[in-house]
Amino acid sequence: MNSYHHIEKEDPELFTALDGEENRQAEGLELIPSENYVSRAVKEAMASSLTNKYAEGYPGKRYYGGQEFTDAVETLAIERAKKLFGAAYANVQPLGGANANIAMYMALLEPGDTVLGMDLSHGGHLTHGHPVTYLTKIFNFVRYGMKDVETGEIDYDDMCRVAKEVRPKIILAGFSAYPRELEYVKFIEIAREVGALAVMDIAHIAGLIAGKVAKNPFDYGFDVMTTTTHKTLRGPRGGMILTRESEDIAKKIDKAVFPGFQGGPHMHQIAAKAVSFHEALHPSFALYAKQIIANTHAMEKVFKAHAIRMITGGSDNHLLLLDAWKSFGISGGEAESLLDRAGITLNKNTIADDTRKPMDPSGIRLGTPAITTRGLREPESARVASLMVEILTKRDDITVEHVKKEVRNLALAHPIPESFI
Ligand SMILES: *Cc1c(COP(=O)(O)O)cnc(C)c1O
């Protein structure tokens, strides 16, 4: 566990909150599929003196002096990212996944241009054109979705028809809550036919692609990939934009990130990205990625045995989307708080064709990246799924208490590791 001696002495009020969070992470089971635990080495980089340094610009082209070491740091991050994903260019400055997407739109679109993206209730992300985002005031977002919610098959015929009608500049693939692999070939066929760029937001599955247990969209001809670095990839909170081959696109992206949209890069975060990419290039990371999927399948098997409705019928990746309303007669919100009481953290989620409101939808979304980092394997993952079913079925205080105890024991038996290599 971390120690915070200086904070404890200087700022006891803040220390209390920090210490509470340390314990929560240590003693509960984290099933939010977008969360993970980083290594001590990644944390050291995040806490490094690089936070003191202004480095506006790019390696070799900075606005301020004193860049000998920042250039070395950013170049390491860029080269490792390129190797990890088979990209010709990488911009490692985006502060998060949303920033990466905004910069990508700004680089590749003019105001008023059209993006064809995944329906948000079918698994797309807020930054793919949700009406609450400012993006929808600038660009025009049009949707594709699933043809069959029970199998997760995307309606590629409809996508093609809409693409021919609206002539999008970008066809955007990628998701936050879709448990299946996409048919990348179809995206590329349609994009080429209508003259659109093909962009994939790999925020959720970056670690699975890096670990070679998911297909790499670049192998199918995608032009650009945006991502977070803190989900399955197990790096610091941050974002990144990768370009497969076009120097012209890469230049536009660099300009859009800085000075177009962001200010000085967070060099401590970029150093931490470099460390995490180094970890992800190590052979042990492929085993981690493989175990994530094995653990998801172990959970899926338990849910299937209990006839629980899973959106798309199961999972090919790290996440599962359950219909709590149809399966247990409770809303996603109620399910989330019941599990929270027992130390199992996940999130309520809208499901396709949801009959309930977005603030209290029918579904819950869960995933295995964090518990896999803690060393849980198939039997333990299956046990967690069984405990979930028990709580959501019985829902009484005695059950919650007994599950809470077992969750705590499981967590303490699998402490958060300090290093991954
Ligand atoms: C998480 C996520 C993002 C946003 O990342 P932030 O770091 O939270 O800004 C963008 N796209 C997808 C698909 C995501 O899952």
Side-chain angles (χ1 to χ4, degrees):
M1 229 198 273
N2 286 313
S3 57
Y4 300 103
H5 304 306
H6 297 87
I7 299 174
E8 187 173 13
K9 218 166 90 193
E10 228 175 85
D11 189 347
E13 231 177 332
L14 185 100
F15 175 78
T16 306
L18 209 46
D19 193 48
E21 176 63 12
E22 283 287 338
N23 285 323
R24 190 193 68 80
Q25 290 191 15
E27 293 176 13
L29 287 177
E30 189 53 71
L31 292 183
I32 295 177
S34 48
E35 294 190 12
N36 215 326
Y37 305 100
V38 298
S39 69
R40 275 308 274 262
V42 167
K43 281 189 195 162
E44 275 181 8
M46 280 299 276
S48 71
S49 304
L50 284 165
T51 191
N52 299 333
K53 185 67 193 130
Y54 249 110
E56 284 169 333
Y58 291 99
K61 290 171 284 185
R62 308 278 191 190
Y63 285 73
Y64 301 156
Q67 307 291 353
E68 185 184 349
F69 303 107
T70 48
D71 278 6
V73 165
E74 188 164 349
T75 303
L76 276 176
I78 290 169
E79 292 308 316
R80 288 171 183 173
K82 282 158 55 179
K83 193 165 170 198
L84 209 43
F85 294 98
Y89 302 92
N91 187 308
V92 295
Q93 293 193 4
L95 303 180
N99 297 50
N101 281 340
I102 294 167
M104 177 272 291
Y105 294 137
M106 286 171 67
L108 306 180
L109 302 173
E110 296 296 328
D113 279 350
T114 298
V115 177
L116 179 56
M118 177 89 147
D119 192 320
L120 303 168
S121 71
H122 289 212
H125 187 260
L126 277 176
T127 55
H128 298 182
H130 194 285
V132 298
T133 62
Y134 205 81
L135 288 167
T136 54
K137 295 193 174 143
I138 308 172
F139 307 117
N140 177 36
F141 289 90
V142 182
R143 308 265 152 242
Y144 61 85
M146 284 183 266
K147 180 157 77 181
D148 182 354
V149 177
E150 304 310 323
T151 63
E153 193 189 341
I154 303 274
D155 195 341
Y156 292 102
D157 293 336
D158 187 56
M159 186 201 268
C160 187
R161 185 187 58 75
V162 175
K164 281 181 182 158
E165 194 183 302
V166 302
R167 295 273 151 184
K169 282 268 176 68
I170 290 175
I171 293 187
L172 180 63
F175 45 77
S176 304
Y178 179 74
R180 296 298 184 186
E181 267 206 310
L182 299 169
E183 284 183 57
Y184 296 134
V185 174
K186 296 248 168 80
F187 280 85
I188 297 302
E189 270 172 20
I190 298 169
R192 298 287 183 262
E193 192 169 338
V194 300
L197 288 168
V199 178
M200 168 85 179
D201 178 350
I202 59 167
H204 257 263
I205 57 168
L208 305 181
I209 294 169
K212 303 211 168 8
V213 293
K215 294 182 288 189
N216 185 337
F218 278 162
D219 293 342
Y220 296 82
F222 271 77
D223 302 287
V224 172
M225 299 202 289
T226 58
T227 186
T228 61
T229 47
H230 51 273
K231 297 180 181 175
T232 49
L233 192 52
R234 208 161 60 179
R237 192 155 296 280
M240 174 161 70
I241 308 173
L242 303 156
T243 308
R244 181 170 54 89
E245 62 171 19
S246 163
E247 189 181 355
D248 178 48
I249 291 175
K251 278 188 175 154
K252 284 183 190 162
I253 285 169
D254 282 352
K255 268 194 204 149
V257 173
F258 179 85
F261 170 49
Q262 289 190 166
H266 292 194
M267 290 310 304
H268 58 303
Q269 185 200 36
I270 291 174
K273 285 173 186 170
V275 173
S276 67
F277 300 160
H278 177 66
E279 290 171 355
L281 284 164
H282 193 272
S284 61
F285 192 83
L287 298 176
Y288 165 62
K290 207 169 155 202
Q291 191 64 45
I292 289 178
I293 303 224
N295 286 351
T296 310
H297 286 155
M299 296 186 87
E300 174 192 295
K301 216 164 133 190
V302 172
F303 295 137
K304 220 172 235 166
H306 286 87
I308 286 159
R309 179 169 185 251
M310 292 179 275
I311 307 306
T312 80
S315 177
D316 300 327
N317 56 30
H318 63 299
L319 70 86
L320 286 156
L321 197 57
L322 311 186
D323 184 343
W325 186 244
K326 281 238 173 84
S327 308
F328 305 104
I330 56 174
S331 73
E334 283 172 88
E336 177 190 301
S337 30
L338 265 168
L339 292 161
D340 219 17
R341 282 175 55 201
I344 295 175
T345 313
L346 47 64
N347 64 283
K348 59 178 181 287
N349 214 99
T350 303
I351 57 174
D353 310 322
D354 208 327
T355 51
R356 301 182 53 86
K357 294 195 199 84
M359 281 315 290
D360 193 12
S362 298
I364 49 174
R365 186 186 69 149
L366 62 133
T368 55
I371 58 167
T372 306
T373 294
R374 293 187 83 134
L376 274 73
R377 299 177 77 87
E378 290 96 321
E380 294 85 5
S381 302
R383 183 67 195 137
V384 175
S386 303
L387 290 171
M388 285 178 59
V389 173
E390 198 181 333
I391 281 210
L392 296 176
T393 313
K394 294 186 188 157
R395 306 200 283 275
D396 59 290
D397 289 347
I398 295 167
T399 307
V400 172
E401 278 313 307
H402 123 79
V403 171
K404 189 176 174 178
K405 247 183 231 149
E406 198 171 329
V407 163
R408 191 165 180 276
N409 289 340
L410 256 174
L412 294 179
H414 299 88
I416 302 166
E418 300 216 325
S419 71
F420 302 136
I421 291 185

